[in-house]
Amino acid sequence: MKRRSELNPSAKQVKYFLIALIACLGLVCLYYGSSFAPGSRRSDEESSASDGTDPVYGGFARNRDFDELHEDQEHNPEIPKSIPICDMKFSELIPCLDRNLIYQLKLKPNLALMEHYERHCPPPERRYNCLIPPPLGYKIPIRWPASRDEVWKANIPHTHLAQEKSDQNWMVVNGDKINFPGGGTHFHNGADKYIVSLARMLKFPDDKLNNAGNIRNVFDVGCGVASFGAYLLSHNIIAMSLAPNDVHENQIQFALERGIPATLGILATKRLPYPSRSFELAHCSRCRIDWLQRGGILLLELDRLLRPGGYFVYSSPEAYAMDPENRRIWNAMYDLLKKMCWRVVTKKEQSVIWAKPLSNSCYSKRDPGTYPPLCGTDDDPDVTWNVSMKPCISRYSSKMHKVKGSGLVPWPQRLTAAPPRLEELGVSPEEFSEDTSIWHFRVVEYWKQMKSVMQRNSIRNVMDMNSNLGGFAAGLSDRDVWVMNVAPVHSSTRLKIIYDRGLIGTVHDWCESFSTYPRTYDLLHAWAVFSEISERGCSMEDLLIEMDRILRPNGFVIIRDNPSIINYIRKFVTALRWDGWISEVEPRIDALSSSEERVLIARKKLWDEDLMLM
């Protein structure tokens, strides 16, 4: 037998080749490991000396084939064992509504048109790459329904509005809590009394603004802390309460902390991300909007959103004050709305209520050349993502049911009744019914999985990140929660069915950050969201960090996707600190399963202060 030193030359060549190959693989692993590792905390000097980028930003590398990533974490440098925590100054970061970014990127939004309050998302190289910390002293939010009237001051340490609106009963600082008496700019004595007064103005049965279930979806623009929407809930009305991230500090954050449906947004230059004919009633209580600007284009956007016969409640000095300037504005608004075929239904004290026409017939009777014109037949009023507002009236389609409310049955029957607009999607009533049944079963199974760890009333704000026809939200109808249904851009046309069912939602591109404050949802449901953005070449890791930003401590994520994606996401759970409780199951195959699926449910930990100060 030969000794090692006596091996033949060919054996030595194989040996040297293997050594070289191992060395090359090690260098490759080192290179890709540095590409995938999250940005570490660096000093300001180190940051500026290297590439001039902010240590908060950087983002993960784009996804690679899943098969390359399914190794144990200790052997897989692409999977971080931890993700840095952002500086405390970013505790309220909203990446696509960060005005500091506008200045840093030297953008030049038109301030007069409020473009600086619209979305401006960071480019990939400037996406933040750290977990948003809660403020010091953060507590698990007070649970609904008590939260309607009080929140922990430590969770939203802003008291500016309490002083500025002290005479209007918006909010009151009371020790370690902030209380909400239910007042507003034009309803100092309480939203509940104001709502009854509106019902009486419209002569609705029993002084109920829901009008026997025929008014369900309300759009409250310039909503403040959303007390109007809060008190509508007891009338079986759900409001999309909208306000910008402006000088009125954190009003939408207060609304969401209270457990009230609300979202960040502004009437500026882009269409709002809601389909046409979504709301039975729009409301503006001293909302400080110049409705006459640019030929009344903001009123035309409101017209697009209202259903046939829908109401516009306007409570503002222009409606009642007798000074010359307010009379001028009122006369101009009245003239414009008359040309849009709106009519005054009732006017009393500080409020006027208009109604939108039921059909196109009034438009055809106007004099030729009357402004505003009808939109062209090539305009799709349901396309909204990054679409500019149009200076024209969105006409009703020829297929539209020419009856009040778009032919919808009253609430709550409309939740499960097949709406007429299904026909526009090519979805049959039978398919709609089957979708509803499947999601009811799926929701029941989710709750069985979480039952052992879910505390009573611990879930209030829910987001369905891929809402489809709204089946997931419908499956939650017997629980005291509300759902923000999100229609991804590739399926945005389906959002009209969400609203026809008496639910609310918005369009969004999950390759970007969502327009909400951190820690505003108790539960996030992501069905096939990761596989969809992965196919588009967007980063799953960025989306995981975004979900962590949105999710409240002790909140849950339910991720339903194909097994390879679930396997990959599972490896980030510890780094994200979502390992407070974990369940992973293989659900039964149903008619909505495009392929084999797995369900991962995880719970986000409440961080301790030592961790936040690291």
Side-chain angles (χ1 to χ4, degrees):
M1 182 178 290
K2 295 182 179 180
R3 301 182 193 177
R4 293 181 182 269
S5 59
E6 296 174 330
L7 293 173
N8 60 46
S10 61
K12 289 183 177 181
Q13 290 174 353
V14 171
K15 175 182 176 183
Y16 294 147
F17 174 77
L18 290 174
I19 292 173
L21 180 62
I22 291 170
C24 288
L25 287 173
L27 290 172
V28 169
C29 289
L30 180 62
Y31 172 77
Y32 283 119
S34 63
S35 298
F36 269 74
S40 58
R41 291 173 178 254
R42 299 176 292 177
S43 68
D44 293 339
E45 292 76 17
E46 289 175 323
S47 176
S48 59
S50 56
D51 58 4
T53 60
D54 192 310
V56 169
Y57 295 90
F60 285 95
R62 303 302 100 176
N63 296 324
R64 289 175 165 73
D65 290 339
F66 295 128
D67 292 341
E68 298 176 10
L69 301 171
H70 294 162
E71 299 175 9
D72 292 335
Q73 186 168 348
E74 61 187 79
H75 301 302
N76 191 346
E78 289 104 351
I79 306 297
K81 293 183 178 179
S82 65
I83 298 174
I85 297 173
C86 301
D87 190 280
M88 190 61 71
K89 66 182 179 181
F90 295 105
S91 69
E92 293 175 352
L93 177 70
I94 310 168
C96 292
L97 295 176
D98 180 11
R99 284 191 290 283
N100 290 324
L101 183 69
I102 293 176
Y103 304 133
Q104 292 165 8
L105 297 180
K106 298 181 179 179
L107 304 178
K108 296 181 179 180
N110 188 323
L111 303 185
L113 301 185
M114 303 297 177
E115 284 186 325
H116 53 305
Y117 292 134
E118 294 185 311
R119 288 173 59 85
H120 297 88
C121 295
E125 65 273 12
R126 287 196 60 80
R127 288 194 69 156
Y128 73 98
N129 189 26
C130 51
L131 303 180
I132 301 296
L136 294 176
Y138 179 87
K139 301 179 182 180
I140 297 300
I142 296 169
R143 296 307 179 187
W144 184 267
S147 64
R148 187 195 71 175
D149 302 325
E150 61 181 12
V151 301
W152 296 116
K153 184 173 68 173
N155 290 8
I156 310 177
H158 298 280
T159 58
H160 171 73
L161 276 176
Q163 285 115 37
E164 182 180 339
K165 304 292 184 179
S166 60
D167 61 331
Q168 298 172 16
N169 286 325
W170 277 34
M171 48 190 275
V172 178
V173 179
N174 184 13
D176 60 355
K177 293 179 180 178
I178 296 175
N179 296 114
F180 300 87
T185 305
H186 266 76
F187 42 92
H188 303 174
N189 296 324
D192 51 349
K193 297 180 180 64
Y194 174 67
I195 291 167
V196 170
S197 72
L198 295 178
R200 288 174 179 168
M201 287 176 67
L202 290 165
K203 299 180 180 178
F204 286 163
D206 302 319
D207 298 335
K208 298 291 186 182
L209 193 60
N210 70 357
N211 191 23
N214 289 299
I215 290 184
R216 166 63 180 173
N217 293 356
V218 165
F219 177 53
D220 186 18
V221 58
C223 65
V225 293
S227 288
F228 181 66
Y231 284 86
L232 284 175
L233 290 167
S234 62
H235 293 255
N236 284 323
I237 295 174
I238 189 166
M240 178 65 84
S241 297
L242 182 90
N245 178 26
D246 62 6
V247 293
H248 289 149
E249 288 181 350
N250 304 75
Q251 48 194 341
I252 291 297
Q253 190 178 19
F254 280 119
L256 290 166
E257 183 77 6
R258 296 172 69 187
I260 302 167
T263 190
L264 285 162
I266 190 168
L267 282 162
T269 68
K270 301 288 179 66
R271 281 179 172 175
L272 293 173
Y274 319 124
S276 67
R277 311 200 305 273
S278 292
F279 302 97
E280 285 89 41
L281 185 147
H283 176 254
C284 161
S285 173
R286 195 70 181 272
C287 56
R288 297 182 179 275
I289 292 175
D290 179 7
W291 294 107
L292 295 174
Q293 64 171 281
R294 291 173 285 158
I297 196 169
L298 303 186
L299 281 171
L300 291 166
E301 173 65 359
L302 204 62
D303 181 271
R304 183 184 71 85
L305 295 175
L306 280 174
R307 297 195 193 277
Y311 298 104
F312 176 41
V313 177
Y314 187 54
S315 299
S316 188
E318 296 85 3
Y320 63 86
M322 301 307 295
D323 61 279
E325 179 60 16
N326 280 312
R327 285 302 85 200
R328 181 193 68 80
I329 296 172
W330 165 258
N331 290 333
M333 276 188 72
Y334 182 87
D335 183 58
L336 175 62
L337 288 169
K338 185 177 180 181
K339 291 176 181 177
M340 292 168 55
C341 293
W342 289 27
R343 64 183 178 88
V344 173
V345 178
T346 180
K347 185 179 179 184
K348 185 178 180 181
E349 297 175 351
Q350 297 184 345
S351 302
V352 59
I353 302 178
W354 275 283
K356 182 182 173 182
L358 286 167
S359 69
N360 291 328
S361 62
C362 172
Y363 307 134
S364 62
K365 297 174 184 176
R366 301 186 307 167
D367 294 334
T370 298
Y371 181 89
L374 289 176
C375 296
T377 54
D378 58 341
D379 175 64
D380 186 344
D382 296 329
V383 176
T384 61
W385 187 250
N386 287 330
V387 174
S388 297
M389 291 180 187
K390 306 291 177 69
C392 56
I393 300 171
S394 298
R395 67 180 80 205
Y396 299 136
S397 67
S398 58
K399 293 183 178 180
M400 195 209 76
H401 291 238
K402 296 180 176 63
V403 292
K404 202 168 187 176
S406 301
L408 301 174
V409 298
W411 177 267
Q413 291 87 349
R414 74 171 59 170
L415 180 66
T416 53
R421 287 200 280 189
L422 277 176
E423 182 182 352
E424 298 176 19
L425 303 179
V427 177
S428 70
E430 293 74 23
E431 291 171 313
F432 175 80
S433 179
E434 182 181 31
D435 181 274
T436 301
S437 297
I438 288 172
W439 278 110
H440 177 78
F441 175 82
R442 287 183 172 189
V443 167
V444 168
E445 292 301 303
Y446 292 158
W447 252 247
K448 285 180 181 177
Q449 290 297 116
M450 298 186 291
K451 184 177 180 180
S452 63
V453 291
M454 188 188 300
Q455 296 176 349
R456 187 172 179 269
N457 294 333
S458 62
I459 292 179
R460 171 64 182 172
N461 301 355
V462 177
M463 177 183 287
D464 187 6
M465 298 170 65
N466 180 15
S467 56
N468 194 34
L469 299 175
F472 174 77
L476 289 169
S477 61
D478 61 343
R479 294 173 172 85
D480 202 3
V481 304
W482 66 272
V483 181
M484 177 65 77
N485 292 279
V486 180
V489 286
H490 72 280
S491 58
S492 62
T493 56
R494 299 198 159 211
L495 191 59
K496 66 182 77 171
I497 305 304
I498 302 293
Y499 279 93
D500 287 353
R501 300 184 77 166
L503 305 168
I504 61 170
T506 185
V507 178
H508 184 63
D509 183 350
W510 284 114
C511 292
E512 300 179 0
S513 178
F514 191 82
S515 294
T516 192
Y517 285 90
R519 303 171 300 280
T520 45
Y521 286 88
D522 300 301
L523 187 147
L524 306 178
H525 175 248
W527 172 48
V529 174
F530 284 90
S531 55
E532 190 269 327
I533 68 158
S534 178
E535 288 172 3
R536 295 171 53 203
C538 300
S539 169
M540 293 201 298
E541 295 87 349
D542 282 347
L543 180 54
L544 287 168
I545 289 179
E546 171 64 3
M547 290 172 68
D548 182 82
R549 185 185 73 86
I550 295 172
L551 190 64
R552 285 173 170 172
N554 276 4
F556 292 88
V557 294
I558 303 175
I559 303 175
R560 188 185 193 109
D561 221 307
N562 67 59
S564 60
I565 286 180
I566 295 298
N567 287 341
Y568 181 57
I569 290 173
R570 177 90 184 238
K571 296 175 182 179
F572 284 87
V573 167
T574 300
L576 289 162
R577 299 173 179 85
W578 289 1
D579 51 357
W581 177 85
I582 302 172
S583 171
E584 185 174 335
V585 298
E586 184 175 334
R588 75 174 189 181
I589 301 296
D590 54 43
L592 296 179
S593 306
S594 59
S595 60
E596 184 184 356
E597 292 180 328
R598 284 234 296 276
V599 175
L600 174 67
I601 306 178
R603 189 177 196 180
K604 178 178 176 177
K605 288 180 177 177
L606 173 62
W607 301 356
D608 57 44
E609 294 196 1
D610 291 339
L611 179 62
M612 290 189 282
L613 294 172
M614 284 177 62

